[in-house]
Amino acid sequence: MEFKRGLELVIAGAQEALAGSQTLVRHGMALHDSRLFDAALRKFDAALAEWPANGRAYYERGSTLRLKSLADAA
């Protein structure tokens, strides 16, 4: 039972540490959807500065860069 409680505390701590970065990613996604690509990229960069291992931030940043390059080429 102690082991389970210890794991629950570790998981809760990790989720708390990632929460700010995830919030920034969600804001970046909303900006991306509004086609405000530069602002979205700034949010993703801020998310990565806060939590460099945030894979979702890397994915969304890459997706935004791709769409921005297509929009710039058009």
Side-chain angles (χ1 to χ4, degrees):
M1 199 61 152
E2 265 184 60
F3 181 73
K4 181 180 177 188
R5 180 66 183 140
L7 285 177
E8 289 170 348
L9 289 172
V10 168
I11 291 169
Q15 289 172 335
E16 185 177 328
L18 186 58
S21 183
Q22 291 292 68
T23 298
L24 289 166
V25 170
R26 283 192 298 277
H27 288 226
M29 290 168 65
L31 291 165
H32 167 105
D33 292 345
S34 297
R35 301 184 66 82
L36 299 171
F37 302 125
D38 291 327
L41 290 169
R42 286 191 294 274
K43 290 291 182 181
F44 299 137
D45 289 342
L48 290 167
E50 190 167 315
W51 190 269
N54 187 339
R56 182 70 183 264
Y58 283 108
Y59 174 84
E60 295 297 341
R61 188 177 190 285
S63 176
T64 300
L65 284 171
R66 180 179 174 278
L67 193 55
K68 181 181 183 316
S69 70
L70 292 173
D72 289 347

